[in-house]
Amino acid sequence: MKITRVESFRVPVPAADPPFHWRDGLAGSAPAGEGGVLLIGTDEGAQGVAFFSRPGAAVLLDDLVERVFRPELLGQDPIQREWIWHRVWELDRIHELPLPTLGLIDVALWDLAGRVQGLPTWQLLGGYRTEIPAYASTSTFGSVEEFLDIADQSLELGFRGIKLHAWGDARRDAQLVLALREHVGPGVPLMYDGSAGFDLPDAIHVGKALSEAAYLWYEEPMREFSVGAYRRLAKSVDVPLLSAETSDGAHMNSADFIAAGAATFGVRASTTLRGGITGAMRTAHLADAHRVRVEMHGSDIPNQHLCMAISNTTYYESFVTSNPVKRERWVDEKGLVRAPTGPGIALPAGLDYPKALHPYVEQAA
């Protein structure tokens, strides 16, 4: 079997309704725009797809397909995912590919493999579970009182934990951290994501509040350029650190955080920021070897497959961005996400896809 077709498709992506915010200094939800779909096809009719929805995704994907992906992939064996994964990293040395694009080919090839075998990709990866609890991962709301209300709604809807994305103000965030723990009591798992808003002194200040309030993990308080700064943070606070979400280098960089003692809860993984399915699985196995966890970043279908295939992950991240809270359709009333059942990895439902892509869309549309 040989790759004979490499195409990009543009897909209109509506703006979030209602729009939402992240911490001070970061942009909020994206306006309406165009996402991209990468399609890889073969001489035997097998095809696989991968969805790319970052701002500017369609234009970027069109360019990469024409300039890099198609010339490299035509004539290759799509089952040799390992060779192609390494080849993408070679290409990155010259082209400096944007981090979210490093895994697109890999996701499309894992989708293709699942469709050839007639199995969901998580089963091809070995399979570990058929359901996983979801936590409510908040956007940034206006006040402590609103955050507490969001927490109440989320727990009533069945979510098994709550992760805060707060304001990026160390003193104000620390007060919220303590207020939320007092409000929900000791039995609810709580997490905090700093969205890289702090330097080391402010990260320590928030970390001490998280330690006092017994949060499950402390995620990305600083940009992940300095493993040394994370090591010093780990020595200064008791709350476990969840590290290496946005740093480049997939499992290779994650290894540095773990070896330095700067990932005391574990590391992050995703298809978008860790080199696709293959890079995320490498990261998971690395973490498992060191007896720490790997938590999936982001609320999408490929990460559902990873959650079902990886033993040392705890939760599915489900974004909560509106008040009143709306539960994503794949999170049930018990706060569980069930394993996908269709072959391969589906495209998200509800978008206006070109007709050629209709067979690849999630059936829950």
Side-chain angles (χ1 to χ4, degrees), residues 13-207:
V13 178
D17 183 20
F20 57 87
H21 304 281
W22 298 117
R23 69 162 173 84
D24 295 345
L26 296 182
S29 55
E34 286 185 310
V37 176
L38 173 67
L39 184 146
I40 297 175
T42 74
D43 56 350
E44 296 184 12
Q47 295 186 151
V49 295
F51 185 58
F52 183 35
S53 63
R54 295 296 180 98
V59 174
L60 177 57
L61 183 58
D62 286 348
D63 173 66
L64 287 176
V65 165
E66 292 294 328
R67 185 169 51 85
V68 182
F69 291 174
R70 185 180 292 125
E72 287 291 336
L73 291 176
L74 289 179
Q76 299 297 336
D77 182 347
I79 302 304
Q80 289 191 275
R81 291 179 299 275
E82 184 73 14
W83 186 91
I84 294 172
W85 191 84
H86 280 277
R87 182 60 186 155
V88 169
W89 286 92
E90 286 290 293
L91 297 172
D92 178 62
R93 174 62 183 85
I94 298 298
H95 295 286
E96 289 288 341
L97 301 173
L99 184 58
T101 69
L102 282 166
L104 283 174
I105 291 172
D106 188 71
V107 171
L109 292 179
W110 275 105
D111 178 49
L112 184 151
R115 294 175 190 280
V116 169
Q117 295 295 321
L119 293 171
T121 294
W122 66 270
Q123 289 188 318
L124 282 188
L125 294 169
Y128 180 76
R129 58 172 64 86
T130 57
E131 62 185 30
I132 193 168
Y135 66 85
S137 184
T138 75
S139 57
T140 303
F141 293 95
S143 65
V144 169
E145 292 73 23
E146 188 173 15
F147 269 110
L148 300 185
D149 179 41
I150 293 296
D152 288 341
Q153 292 182 56
S154 298
L155 295 174
E156 288 171 4
L157 287 171
F159 285 103
R160 302 295 187 89
I162 299 163
K163 187 172 80 176
L164 297 173
H165 292 85
W167 302 290
D169 179 320
R171 273 62 190 167
R172 193 181 180 197
D173 285 14
Q175 292 172 357
L176 171 61
V177 161
L178 296 170
L180 180 59
R181 171 54 75 201
E182 182 179 4
H183 183 73
V184 300
V188 177
L190 299 178
M191 309 82 153
Y192 172 90
D193 187 337
S195 300
F198 304 129
D199 60 9
L200 181 58
D202 279 347
I204 291 173
H205 179 83
V206 174

